[in-house]
Amino acid sequence: MRYIWMLLLGLSFLIFSTGVRAMEIAPGLYKTVLGNGLTVIVEENHRAPVVAVQVWVKAGSAYEKDSEAGITHLIEHMIFKGTEKRKPGEIASTIESFGGSINAFTSYDYTCYYVTGPREILETALDVLSDAIFHSIFDPQELEREKQVVLEEMRMRNDRPALALAEAVMQKAYLKYPYRRPIIGYPETVKAITRKDILDYMARRYRPVHMAVVVVGDVNAEQALAKIASYFGNEPKLPPQVVNFPQEPPKKEPALVTLDRDVKEGYFHLALPGPSILKPEAPVMDVIAVLLGQGESSRLYQQLRREKGIVHTIYAYTFTPKGPGLFEVAGTAPPENLREAIKESLVEIFRLKYDPVLPEELEKAKTMVAADFVYSRETMQGEARKLGAFEILTGDPLKAKKYLEAIKKVTAAQIKEVAEKYFTPQAVVAGLLAQNVSQLISPEDLQVLVEEAEMEASGISPGMEHWVSPTVKKKLANGLTVLITPQKDVPAFSMALVFPGGLRFETEKTNGLFRALASLWTKGTLEKSADMLATLVESMGGEIAGFSGRNTFGLKGSFLSENLEKALSLFAEVAEKPAFSESELEKLKPELLAALARQEDDPLQLAIREFYRLLFAPHPYGLNILGSRDVIENLHAEAIKKAYEDYVAPSRGVLSIVGDVDPEKIMPLLEKYFGTWQKEAKPLPEDKEPEPLLEPKLSTINIDREQVHLILGFRGPSMFSEDRYAMEVLNAVLAGQGGRLFKTLRDEEALAYSVTSFLTLGINTGGIGFYIATEPAKKKLALSGLWREIAKVNQEGVTDEEIKRAKRWLVGRYITGLQTNMSQAMDQAVNEVLGLGYNYGLRYIQKIQNVEWEDISEVAKKYLENKPYVLVTVGPLED
């Protein structure tokens, strides 16, 4: 037994011929502690004839007293300003004569001095670094000169907006912990530092027991260890100096930092609490930072830069020191967008507490973090820095490897737990830097922004807290996205299963295909006839119907909650196993064609159809939403089956369920009835870009009616454009019985019974139309009236009272329209499929509320002033 124990000791420790006893803690990686307490780490790395020599000292700004703030950084400057045997400048010239480089950096927890160069530089580097660290003379004249250099550095940092803002936020992010002080210190403290102060600080912190020498490169470990011992082992052994850091208290309310500077750009910086490097949450927070704000596929970049276009740059990162850390988001934006940038960033941050991260998103983030670790090993200095940092902060250089292993094991559940723990609204620190920034936001405004962001992220919007329940979002193994919103007040529930499709993917040869598919979808399954299916559904007091629009199509259904499982089973069967029989299609065709006939009979519908044709053709939005008579008459079930195969797949769909359901109890049922639906999604056609409208387009349809119907319109913004919100408010100013068009053209001038405006929002285009129906004799006056009101909007704008009424009308109609379970289910599912997010409707209200007079003026000029227009006239020809 004793032999085996001695053998194990022999394998763990290597006693070199030089007498240095070191442990091989990993292949080629050695660690030992010299007699004076100094830690030595050597890694043999022969990928290049280069060596990195680094001396790490537990002497960061966190170890300073308030009165000596900046002394650590000043010492770093002074270390290379002369020793007992080397004059100022001689240290650098000695290293550079070998083709090497020498420098240093100071952080909150440590200072690092380093040399990198050809492998032959090893002994010279050790000699120079040990001499500088232990024998610098800190000449008083050099000290005064270097203080001036540091003061210049302060001025330089203050002139850099992003850096100045980051330091200001840091001071607010910590209430007591010394990380609140800038590493560089303050002008008054740096000016007051004396040579004695430096020597006293050096005596406290520059003790061998507080140091680690790290050598990585093309070296022989035995020789490197011996040389390190000879240059660093002779310093006297002193006990470690224990520092008791204050406990950082939790914050009670959001904090605002504003810096008013003469700059062109706007800058923003957010800070929230984060874990120490010693905490198990640290690897998780690193993954969160990548997921949210590193790379062009990150959430913040995609949402705030690509989708909303409100920022110019944005990124996220973690500060994981030995003490309490931070999670930070920073970026630049037009000053007028800073408020929105802060809020939307917080929405994305807070959303991690409520919505699970998708598997592919999580894997990408973990891969990116792991890649950083791997790439750091490409250089000797990168590997040395990793080993040194983990040694100083954790006491174990191998924690770097363990950290990487922890990164690879991060789960979606861990991300949610860490987000819930650290991302609390009251802990938000927000910094803004811009011209007249104090006019952009107040502490009270920030409080409101934070509350709104939290409510939006959780699925609750301002003014809707009491009647909108939090939505649970899940993804089944087959890729089907499921949204569950409990509403317990009525014993019923509704569900909507939505897919991308509809008019946007039709052509003249297939116009009406999706409407036929949606109508035929519920006319029987492979196991049940149309009559049997209808009987089963109605016997449960329910309904199932198909639907198709411009951008989506799918199924929807409502049932009593007592029939939950039977309803889910039947709905899943309809979704997955439709019959699409030829006989049922032939029975359906007369209904579809009859709707087309009714459209021909209604002059308003006829005018709208023609308006969209002129406004959008040859884009699919120019096709008839009801389809083409020729297409429907010649349609066969096989074409519908093919469309179903091409466009319906669980991984592309969203199933939203709203009503008297329990998310925990319904999930097993959804897995049972929908989780077995296996089908590969085929690529979708690309959404076609509309051709520009270059000249006016006019159309007259002569029908014998008593009124003439006019629609005058223009191209407008898409549903993804920020312009849509101002355009919606402008449309609401003009539309409705309380709108300007009705008041002026009907009530005051008696030109019409019906007059309004309407807005259409598509994937990549939109339109606004102005409609009036009048007697033929007043046609010219009516058209002139529409043009006059459009001109007044461009020239005079709208009033504050009109804007208030329009906003109330829009929000009121939206809220009123979401009273039923079905309306909520459809709203959530359609928005999720379109990429707006299931809770987009909640953000929509805030977007409408944020519209200002200037926004409306801008969109009016952009879309209505001197633009090619469309004019449709339907009615009798003039005599």
Side-chain angles (χ1 to χ4, degrees):
M1 179 67 73
R2 185 163 182 239
Y3 172 77
I4 295 174
W5 175 245
M6 292 300 293
L7 180 60
L8 288 173
L9 280 176
L11 290 173
S12 300
F13 290 91
L14 294 178
I15 302 176
F16 294 113
S17 59
T18 57
V20 179
R21 186 170 180 261
M23 176 186 287
E24 187 175 29
I25 57 177
L29 179 62
Y30 300 87
K31 177 180 177 179
T32 189
V33 178
L34 302 182
N36 61 4
L38 184 140
T39 299
V40 178
I41 297 169
V42 175
E43 181 178 38
E44 292 187 359
N45 187 328
H46 304 293
R47 71 189 309 268
V50 174
V51 66
V53 181
Q54 298 181 357
V55 181
W56 292 75
V57 188
K58 291 180 184 176
S61 63
Y63 292 94
E64 300 168 348
K65 302 171 187 176
D66 284 343
S67 61
E68 58 186 13
I71 194 170
T72 311
H73 174 257
L74 182 58
I75 289 170
E76 174 222 308
H77 275 242
M78 289 297 299
I79 282 288
F80 301 139
K81 293 297 179 179
T83 69
E84 295 169 2
K85 65 178 182 180
R86 291 183 171 91
K87 297 177 182 179
E90 192 174 335
I91 290 175
S93 63
T94 300
I95 295 300
E96 291 170 1
S97 68
F98 280 82
S101 60
I102 184 169
N103 215 325
F105 58 86
T106 309
S107 186
Y108 294 94
D109 295 314
Y110 50 73
T111 303
C112 177
Y113 303 91
Y114 60 90
V115 170
T116 305
R119 61 189 173 194
E120 295 81 12
I121 205 172
L122 174 61
E123 186 162 3
T124 301
L126 293 170
D127 179 16
V128 165
L129 288 174
S130 63
D131 185 34
I133 290 168
F134 293 123
H135 304 293
S136 283
I137 59 175
F138 301 110
D139 178 74
Q141 290 183 336
E142 287 289 341
L143 176 59
E144 290 307 313
R145 279 195 288 265
E146 204 58 34
K147 284 198 280 187
Q148 293 305 314
V149 172
V150 171
L151 293 172
E152 281 300 325
E153 185 179 350
M154 287 183 187
R155 286 187 277 271
M156 176 271 292
R157 294 169 72 86
N158 202 40
D159 281 344
R160 294 182 178 177
L163 193 55
L165 183 60
E167 289 188 349
V169 168
M170 195 80 166
Q171 293 181 54
K172 278 279 191 178
Y174 291 97
L175 301 177
K176 289 189 176 182
Y177 209 83
Y179 294 157
R180 68 190 306 274
R181 293 192 305 260
I183 294 171
I184 199 169
Y186 307 105
E188 59 273 18
T189 57
V190 170
K191 289 176 183 178
I193 292 171
T194 66
R195 181 175 187 273
K196 183 180 183 302
D197 295 329
I198 288 176
L199 294 176
D200 289 345
Y201 182 87
M202 294 286 290
R204 296 198 323 255
R205 299 309 312 165
Y206 277 66
R207 301 179 179 186
V209 72
H210 295 154
M211 297 182 184
V213 176
V214 181
V215 172
V216 175
D218 189 19
V219 298
N220 175 278
E222 178 179 5
Q223 295 173 1
L225 285 162
K227 290 175 180 177
I228 294 168
S230 68
Y231 285 104
F232 285 86
N234 296 323
E235 292 301 312
K237 182 177 182 179
L238 293 169
Q241 184 217 21
V242 178
V243 177
N244 295 315
F245 293 104
Q247 190 76 20
E248 178 65 20
K251 294 181 181 62
K252 297 180 180 179
E253 61 182 7
L256 177 65
V257 178
T258 57
L259 298 181
D260 198 334
R261 298 289 174 86
D262 184 15
V263 292
K264 299 290 192 299
E265 182 73 301
Y267 299 79
F268 63 93
H269 197 112
L270 282 168
L272 284 151
S276 159
I277 189 72
L278 304 177
K279 298 284 187 180
E281 299 101 329
V284 183
M285 193 64 88
D286 273 346
V287 174
I288 287 175
V290 170
L291 187 150
L292 279 178
Q294 292 182 24
E296 293 187 1
S297 63
S298 64
R299 289 188 177 187
L300 289 169
Y301 187 89
Q302 284 292 312
Q303 288 298 312
L304 276 72
R305 178 71 185 91
R306 297 279 293 173
E307 295 295 332
K308 298 180 173 66
I310 59 176
V311 302
H312 293 146
T313 62
I314 190 165
Y315 53 93
Y317 58 94
T318 55
F319 172 53
T320 48
K322 194 169 185 176
L326 294 176
F327 175 82
E328 300 178 73
V329 171
T332 61
E336 63 271 18
N337 290 352
L338 287 174
R339 285 171 56 106
E340 189 177 6
I342 289 288
K343 182 190 168 184
E344 293 301 328
S345 296
L346 288 171
V347 169
E348 294 303 321
I349 293 169
F350 292 155
R351 189 168 284 148
L352 291 177
K353 298 189 288 185
Y354 304 101
D355 297 344
V357 175
L358 299 180
E360 59 271 23
E361 192 178 23
L362 177 58
E363 288 306 311
K364 182 204 70 175
K366 292 195 292 187
T367 299
M368 289 176 68
V369 179
D372 279 344
F373 270 78
V374 172
Y375 295 145
S376 72
R377 301 199 63 191
E378 290 187 336
T379 65
M380 304 304 179
Q381 59 267 36
E383 176 71 358
R385 184 164 183 168
K386 181 183 68 177
L387 295 172
F390 274 91
E391 170 62 31
I392 288 293
L393 295 175
T394 73
D396 182 3
L398 290 183
K399 283 283 179 67
K401 182 179 180 181
K402 296 172 184 175
Y403 198 87
L404 179 57
E405 292 170 354
I407 290 288
K408 294 178 179 178
K409 294 177 181 177
V410 170
T411 65
Q414 286 177 311
I415 286 179
K416 189 172 185 293
E417 290 171 6
V418 169
E420 288 173 349
K421 179 176 180 179
Y422 290 99
F423 296 160
T424 56
Q426 65 270 21
V428 170
V429 178
L432 299 174
L433 185 152
Q435 279 190 341
N436 302 318
V437 69
S438 57
Q439 298 176 16
L440 299 177
I441 189 170
S442 67
E444 293 75 22
D445 293 333
L446 177 64
Q447 181 79 41
V448 172
L449 286 180
V450 172
E451 290 173 357
E452 290 175 353
E454 173 72 6
M455 287 189 289
E456 287 189 21
S458 66
I460 303 173
S461 184
M464 305 173 69
E465 302 94 322
H466 304 297
W467 62 277
V468 178
S469 300
T471 297
V472 176
K473 180 180 177 181
K474 301 284 186 181
K475 190 175 276 287
L476 304 186
N478 59 6
L480 179 66
T481 297
V482 175
L483 306 172
I484 307 166
T485 306
Q487 296 277 25
K488 299 289 189 178
D489 53 339
V490 177
F493 70 97
S494 297
M495 46 191 163
L497 178 63
V498 181
F499 301 90
L503 194 66
R504 67 196 265 204
F505 293 138
E506 291 183 353
T507 66
E508 288 187 358
K509 294 182 179 179
T510 61
N511 186 207
L513 176 63
F514 279 93
R515 180 165 171 258
L517 188 162
S519 301
L520 190 61
W521 203 340
T522 57
K523 304 300 183 184
T525 70
L526 297 179
E527 300 168 2
K528 297 177 179 65
S529 68
D531 292 337
M532 184 185 301
L533 180 62
T535 301
L536 284 171
V537 171
E538 291 166 7
S539 67
M540 289 189 282
E543 63 174 344
I544 300 178
F547 65 89
S548 178
R550 283 187 172 80
N551 305 302
T552 59
F553 75 109
L555 292 172
K556 57 184 180 180
S558 296
F559 292 89
L560 299 176
S561 51
E562 64 188 47
N563 297 316
L564 176 64
E565 183 163 6
K566 288 192 293 184
L568 289 175
S569 172
L570 200 59
F571 196 82
E573 182 181 334
V574 174
E576 186 179 357
K577 301 174 182 177
F580 294 132
S581 74
E582 193 72 44
S583 61
E584 289 296 333
L585 176 60
E586 289 306 311
K587 295 177 185 177
L588 178 65
K589 281 184 180 181
E591 295 181 24
L592 301 177
L593 295 171
L596 284 173
R598 290 192 295 273
Q599 185 185 60
E600 294 286 340
D601 293 339
D602 186 332
L604 173 57
Q605 287 194 49
L606 201 58
I608 291 174
R609 185 187 74 183
E610 183 69 359
F611 173 72
Y612 286 135
R613 184 185 72 81
L614 292 184
L615 190 65
F616 296 123
H619 190 277
Y621 288 155
L623 298 171
N624 189 353
I625 192 70
L626 296 182
S628 158
R629 177 173 294 276
D630 288 343
V631 170
I632 292 171
E633 285 178 340
N634 295 292
L635 194 60
H636 293 285
E638 284 304 314
I640 292 177
K641 289 178 182 178
K642 185 177 186 308
Y644 173 86
E645 291 300 319
D646 289 345
Y647 291 95
V648 177
S651 61
R652 194 176 283 141
V654 174
L655 175 62
S656 177
I657 302 175
V658 178
D660 185 20
V661 295
D662 185 322
E664 291 187 5
K665 292 180 180 178
I666 199 174
M667 276 308 300
L669 298 176
L670 296 175
E671 293 282 2
K672 178 180 178 180
Y673 294 113
F674 290 90
T676 57
W677 186 8
Q678 299 296 324
K679 184 180 176 185
E680 185 176 348
K682 296 182 180 180
L684 288 174
E686 288 188 16
D687 283 298
K688 295 179 181 178
E689 290 291 330
E691 294 181 3
L693 190 63
L694 300 177
E695 58 184 7
K697 292 185 177 181
L698 287 70
S699 175
T700 299
I701 298 177
N702 180 26
I703 58 173
D704 186 16
R705 295 290 190 274
E706 293 188 14
Q707 280 190 314
V708 62
H709 298 260
L710 302 170
I711 300 181
L712 171 67
F714 306 83
R715 285 278 180 86
S718 76
M719 67 177 66
F720 299 106
S721 170
E722 283 297 303
D723 290 343
R724 69 167 285 187
Y725 308 106
M727 186 63 89
E728 287 198 60
V729 175
L730 173 58
N731 179 59
V733 166
L734 299 170
Q737 293 185 32
R740 183 184 286 192
L741 295 178
F742 194 93
K743 288 180 178 179
T744 303
L745 301 181
R746 173 183 155 148
D747 288 351
E748 295 177 11
E749 301 181 26
L751 289 175
Y753 175 76
S754 296
V755 59
T756 191
S757 63
F758 58 95
L759 192 64
T760 302
L761 299 167
I763 294 291
N764 44 26
T765 188
I768 184 168
F770 302 87
Y771 165 75
I772 191 167
T774 188
E775 63 176 288
K778 295 181 179 179
K779 184 182 77 170
K780 290 182 179 179
L781 286 174
L783 180 58
S784 175
L786 290 179
W787 277 117
R788 185 183 69 242
E789 293 305 317
I790 294 170
K792 281 177 66 178
V793 167
N794 283 319
Q795 294 166 11
E796 303 173 14
V798 296
T799 68
D800 291 340
E801 189 56 41
E802 285 178 316
I803 295 173
K804 288 179 183 177
R805 183 203 70 84
K807 289 181 178 181
R808 288 195 297 268
W809 186 60
L810 285 169
V811 173
R813 286 205 314 168
Y814 174 72
I815 293 176
T816 303
L818 285 181
Q819 293 180 83
T820 67
N821 291 336
M822 177 55 72
S823 62
Q824 290 185 42
M826 284 291 291
D827 185 71
Q828 291 182 0
V830 168
N831 284 334
E832 183 73 14
V833 164
L834 293 176
L836 294 166
Y838 69 87
N839 60 355
Y840 166 75
L842 306 173
R843 297 197 299 277
Y844 165 80
I845 290 179
Q846 190 59 47
K847 293 279 193 181
I848 293 296
Q849 298 288 17
N850 289 340
V851 171
E852 302 289 346
W853 184 91
E854 293 81 5
D855 304 321
I856 297 172
S857 179
E858 286 179 14
V859 297
K861 287 179 169 54
K862 183 174 181 180
Y863 295 98
L864 305 182
E865 189 173 61
N866 300 320
K867 298 294 181 182
Y869 63 90
V870 166
L871 176 61
V872 173
T873 305
V874 175
L877 291 176
E878 296 181 57
D879 294 334

